[in-house]
Amino acid sequence: MDFRLLCVGAVLMLFGGCWAQQEGSECIKANAQSCGECIQVAETCGWCTDENFLRDGESKTVRCDDIGSLSTRKCVKIENPRGNINININKDVTNRKKDQADKLKPEQITQIQPQKLTLNLRSGEPLTFNLKFKRAEDYPIDLYYLMDLSFSMKDDLENVKNLGTHLMREMQKITSDFRIGFGSFVEKTVMPYISTTPARLANPCTGSYNCTSPFSYKNVLSLTNDGNQFNNLVSQQQISGNLDSPEGGFDAIMQVAVCEGKIGWRNVTRLLVFSTDAGFHFAGDGKLGGIVLPNDGKCHLENNMYTMSHYYDYPSIAHLVQKLSDHNIQTIFAVTEEFQPVYKELKNLIPKSAVGTLSSNSSNVIKLIIDAYNSLSSEVILENSRVPEGVTISYKSVCKNGVTGTGEGGRKCSNISIGDEVSFQISVESTKCPSQNSETIKIKPLGFTEEVEVVLNFICECECSKGGVPNSKDCHNGNGTLECGACKCNTGRIGGKCECSKDELRTEDLDANCRKDNGTDICSNNGECVCGTCECKTRENAAEIYNGKYCECDNFNCDRSGNKLCGGHGHCECRVCVCEANYTGSACDCSLDTSTCLAKNGQICNGRGTCECGECKCTNPKFQGSTCEVCPTCPGVCTEHKDCVQCLAFGGEGDMQACKQSCGYLTLKKVARRDDLPQPTDQSFPLTHCKERDANDCWFYYTFAVRNDTPEAYVVEELECPAGPDIIPIVVGVVAGIVLIGLALLLIWKLLMIIHDRREFAKFEKEKMNAKWDTGENPIYKSAVTTVVNPKYEGK
């Protein structure tokens, strides 16, 4: 948070200082010696050009401060240039239909708006502009088919021979302006990439297969809208061969990109289809063949053949990325399943590229191209050219369906259909002035030829510097230029008015002018003597300032209260607090406002004290509290006036005449019911409700208040006495209670006996069931029956 927001009222009165717990202004800390230096510190800094702005002892660097502080110091002329945006070219995006009768030329189609802007940048102040992009319908397309013609691609060549007319027919569904070209590559024509024996150079293929001589890259057909010509020329091509598995495709891609004229590229959508079933060589691999010169990234086509493959190494991936981006070429890698992982990694390094899986004989190449084109064209990615040192660019995208992105995601929008419109918020900020006062950067969507030109003009000087007066008389007889209210001294001159030569510094005569009262301290040890004039030191906290002719004053060594300079109610001038209205004291800690001493009855301190510095000082020591309203040792109001209210309202055992004499201060009024007593919310003065009891245990109710310094009481005229007890109900209740308790005890005893008897009977039954009787014969028992056996009987 900017510390200026915390400065209020008179606290700002001196030097733009703010005595909150904040560091000083970064504008002052910068010690800017000129207006131009000042405005480069931060966008909040301004330079005061008033000639009489500086006070005694202040350096001209004090002229540079934040705008609020300069205004507080009554500066009238503040130099504070602001940045701005001027739109130079702003053509509307094209609304083109495919079936439109009058066809537009590619250069007449606009997909990005605006086309040119001028930004006048001030350091630290970001400028934001909107950029609109809309995919045009029926936008022209140039497609160049670059094919690997090594021996492993012989089946693929047969399917590609009729690619021209078939692809032309399919692309007509997307655009009415389509052109196609064809090129082929094999490998560098040196060992160990190919065999250099005469026989193998003539026919690098083994067996009876007739192949053409190896070559690096050949442009077979420049871009044309004749599909039949494509078929005728491609059908004449022959397969070649090489020794190693990786191919020299990077050489071919580089030549296709940089040879714009010979390939026939237009400023339209440029597609490069790279078809192969192998990997690739890249920078450094040429050393195997004794080739050490880095690829120069230039066109070397002679008679449509790349002639420098034996001389320059393969290009690096970064080099290819740069050239493809510079020439707005979008690459489609049509590779077999085996090499998908390799080319997907390559795709991640090359913006606006796609990878498709090529069947073993390239039969699906048309579908692959259509799908890849739709994928590439549905995404827009912004890139910018190199920005000057100290300049930053940030992007925020507002894409389809309101989807937004920031950071790196703010550069792109996806899932864009033809006719969809997206926008980007682009912020440009400068942190310093570069060596050149004007620079140009370009912003464009990857893969598109259109771009936005952004001219950056840097505000490095103030307008007032243009009106500087060289050799001004105000700068000690022409020893400097009066510029922006301050002297800019000529070489060899110094001082606020350029009044001294550097050779005159630190002389005794000049130092004497910097000693107060002929003392020993130069500039009170708070500054330096320059040309006989004190220039005061600056502190780490730029809000703390030394000033005065001898730097004897400052604005931070005043008395404090509550750890705040001048109690937060004033400002410090030359070590003395200057208080705000209604405050006094050495630290402005004594308030003259008496509102904090007002009691509820409207009296100052309840009439029991005086108001000093906004606080009550009670004159009677037994009272205390913020308004002397508390008396811990005093009886309560109700207890204090109980006897007087009782004797005046209901009489008493004492002398009535004595009661009237001692309680004559009290005005008594009677009411019929408690509801008739005054309520606190009905009064503009304090009111107390009381409930007291007399010697007969009867209650009486009253209120006490002081109205216009006269105590008064309202009392309910009827006492509230408790009624005597009713004896009969009490006796009946006691007797009934005794009887009921006796019956309850009998019932409990009876219940316990029943339970005991049942348990004993159950125990008896259990023992009876478990009893076992002895079944043996009685030893003294004799049967009455005697059995005699006939000895002669034989059982017959």
Side-chain angles (χ1 to χ4, degrees), residues 668-740:
L668 189 73
K669 297 179 182 180
K670 293 184 178 182
V671 296
R673 298 174 302 141
R674 285 175 62 183
D675 294 341
D676 297 334
L677 291 173
Q679 300 300 316
T681 55
D682 301 334
Q683 312 299 322
S684 59
F685 47 85
L687 181 73
T688 305
H689 277 256
C690 299
K691 177 184 178 183
E692 296 293 336
R693 186 163 54 184
D694 62 10
N696 298 321
D697 286 336
C698 292
W699 296 96
F700 60 94
Y701 299 88
Y702 69 95
T703 62
F704 178 82
V706 179
R707 188 203 302 258
N708 298 325
D709 296 331
T710 301
E712 65 178 19
Y714 285 79
V715 62
V716 179
E717 58 186 4
E718 293 292 337
L719 291 170
E720 189 178 285
C721 297
D726 193 349
I727 300 300
I728 296 176
I730 294 175
V731 173
V732 172
V734 171
V735 172
I738 294 172
V739 172
L740 291 174

Side-chain angles (χ1 to χ4, degrees), residues 230-288:
F230 181 94
N231 293 346
N232 292 334
L233 288 176
V234 173
S235 62
Q236 299 173 15
Q237 302 305 305
Q238 287 183 291
I239 290 295
S240 184
N242 61 320
L243 296 179
D244 61 342
S245 176
E247 314 294 1
F250 276 16
D251 274 342
I253 294 177
M254 177 63 75
Q255 293 303 302
V256 171
V258 299
C259 298
E260 280 190 328
K262 296 183 178 181
I263 301 298
W265 291 116
R266 298 177 296 171
N267 286 330
V268 296
T269 298
R270 299 176 175 182
L271 299 178
L272 170 61
V273 179
F274 182 84
S275 176
T276 184
D277 63 349
F280 50 82
H281 285 295
F282 53 89
D285 289 353
K287 293 180 181 179
L288 296 173

Side-chain angles (χ1 to χ4, degrees), residues 138-391:
D138 196 29
Y139 194 72
I141 298 174
D142 283 355
L143 184 146
Y144 192 86
Y145 195 92
L146 182 59
M147 185 174 180
D148 176 8
L149 285 188
S150 60
F151 187 76
S152 59
M153 294 286 286
K154 60 182 184 298
D155 294 337
D156 303 75
L157 180 60
E158 293 300 320
N159 286 312
V160 174
K161 290 180 178 179
N162 295 319
L163 177 66
T165 52
H166 293 165
L167 183 60
M168 189 76 69
R169 188 183 312 114
E170 291 297 322
M171 294 300 288
Q172 289 288 345
K173 300 176 183 178
I174 299 175
T175 176
S176 60
D177 189 355
F178 175 73
R179 299 198 311 164
I180 189 171
F182 184 82
S184 58
F185 66 91
V186 181
E187 186 55 277
K188 288 185 180 295
T189 54
V190 295
M191 282 288 289
Y193 311 110
I194 66 168
S195 175
T196 56
T197 61
R200 297 301 297 272
L201 281 175
N203 182 8
C205 299
T206 58
S208 60
Y209 204 93
N210 188 24
C211 296
T212 189
S213 299
F215 57 92
S216 177
Y217 162 67
K218 175 167 51 176
N219 176 33
V220 177
L221 175 65
S222 298
L223 290 163
T224 178
N225 55 10
D226 188 348
N228 291 321
Q229 185 183 6
F230 181 94
N231 293 346
N232 292 334
L233 288 176
V234 173
S235 62
Q236 299 173 15
Q237 302 305 305
Q238 287 183 291
I239 290 295
S240 184
N242 61 320
L243 296 179
D244 61 342
S245 176
E247 314 294 1
F250 276 16
D251 274 342
I253 294 177
M254 177 63 75
Q255 293 303 302
V256 171
V258 299
C259 298
E260 280 190 328
K262 296 183 178 181
I263 301 298
W265 291 116
R266 298 177 296 171
N267 286 330
V268 296
T269 298
R270 299 176 175 182
L271 299 178
L272 170 61
V273 179
F274 182 84
S275 176
T276 184
D277 63 349
F280 50 82
H281 285 295
F282 53 89
D285 289 353
K287 293 180 181 179
L288 296 173
I291 303 172
V292 295
L293 284 179
N295 195 287
D296 64 351
K298 296 181 180 179
C299 181
H300 296 288
L301 285 185
E302 294 182 10
N303 297 322
N304 287 324
M305 297 289 290
Y306 178 41
T307 59
M308 302 297 287
S309 67
H310 64 287
Y311 192 76
Y312 289 115
D313 193 5
Y314 302 99
S316 65
I317 295 175
H319 200 181
L320 274 185
V321 170
Q322 177 194 349
K323 292 301 180 180
L324 290 172
S325 176
D326 290 345
H327 296 276
N328 306 305
I329 295 174
Q330 304 176 61
T331 310
I332 300 172
F333 295 106
V335 296
T336 54
E337 182 71 31
E338 179 184 359
F339 288 93
Q340 281 287 306
V342 175
Y343 283 91
K344 283 183 178 178
E345 290 296 326
L346 182 61
K347 166 189 172 296
N348 295 332
L349 301 175
I350 302 179
K352 293 294 282 187
S353 62
V355 177
T357 303
L358 191 68
S359 62
S360 59
N361 58 3
S362 297
S363 59
N364 67 330
V365 67
I366 294 180
K367 183 179 184 303
L368 185 153
I369 293 173
I370 298 297
D371 291 344
Y373 169 74
N374 289 332
S375 174
L376 290 172
S377 61
S378 66
E379 183 177 59
V380 57
I381 303 174
L382 295 185
E383 67 168 359
N384 54 266
S385 59
R386 186 192 66 84
V387 297
E389 184 180 359
V391 176

Side-chain angles (χ1 to χ4, degrees), residues 429-621:
E429 183 177 358
S430 171
T431 57
K432 65 178 183 178
C433 281
S435 56
Q436 300 292 331
N437 287 336
S438 182
E439 297 275 359
T440 299
I441 61 174
K442 294 183 178 181
I443 301 173
K444 68 173 185 178
L446 281 173
F448 294 84
T449 57
E450 298 175 66
E451 61 187 14
V452 179
E453 182 179 350
V454 182
V455 179
L456 306 179
N457 295 326
F458 299 95
I459 303 175
C460 300
E461 289 294 339
C462 301
E463 283 294 321
C464 60
S465 62
K466 298 178 181 178
V469 181
N471 302 320
S472 172
K473 293 181 179 180
D474 293 326
C475 298
H476 199 265
N477 300 321
N479 286 320
T481 301
L482 184 61
E483 182 181 291
C484 299
C487 285
K488 190 174 183 179
C489 299
N490 296 336
T491 304
R493 304 295 297 188
I494 59 173
K497 298 291 184 181
C498 308
E499 63 270 28
C500 286
S501 170
K502 289 184 178 180
D503 298 333
E504 298 173 355
L505 289 178
R506 302 295 297 174
T507 63
E508 290 298 324
D509 292 338
L510 293 176
D511 286 350
N513 295 328
C514 297
R515 295 188 178 97
K516 183 179 181 181
D517 299 329
N518 293 322
T520 58
D521 294 335
I522 294 178
C523 299
S524 306
N525 289 329
N526 294 324
E528 295 182 355
C529 187
V530 180
C531 299
T533 302
C534 284
E535 286 193 0
C536 302
K537 296 177 183 177
T538 58
R539 291 173 59 84
E540 183 177 352
N541 183 349
E544 298 178 352
I545 299 173
Y546 290 110
N547 70 303
K549 183 177 180 181
Y550 302 101
C551 302
E552 74 278 12
C553 295
D554 62 59
N555 61 0
F556 53 88
N557 276 321
C558 290
D559 290 343
R560 294 175 178 266
S561 177
N563 202 30
K564 293 182 179 180
L565 191 69
C566 297
H569 302 299
H571 59 272
C572 185
E573 286 188 13
C574 204
R575 303 185 180 182
V576 176
C577 284
V578 178
C579 301
E580 298 174 358
N582 290 330
Y583 284 93
T584 187
S586 62
C588 300
D589 54 351
C590 183
S591 174
L592 301 178
D593 185 11
T594 60
S595 61
T596 56
C597 296
L598 285 177
K600 293 181 180 180
N601 59 10
Q603 293 181 311
I604 298 292
C605 303
N606 276 301
R608 299 164 182 159
T610 58
C611 188
E612 298 179 8
C613 297
E615 296 181 356
C616 282
K617 303 296 182 183
C618 303
T619 53
N620 191 333

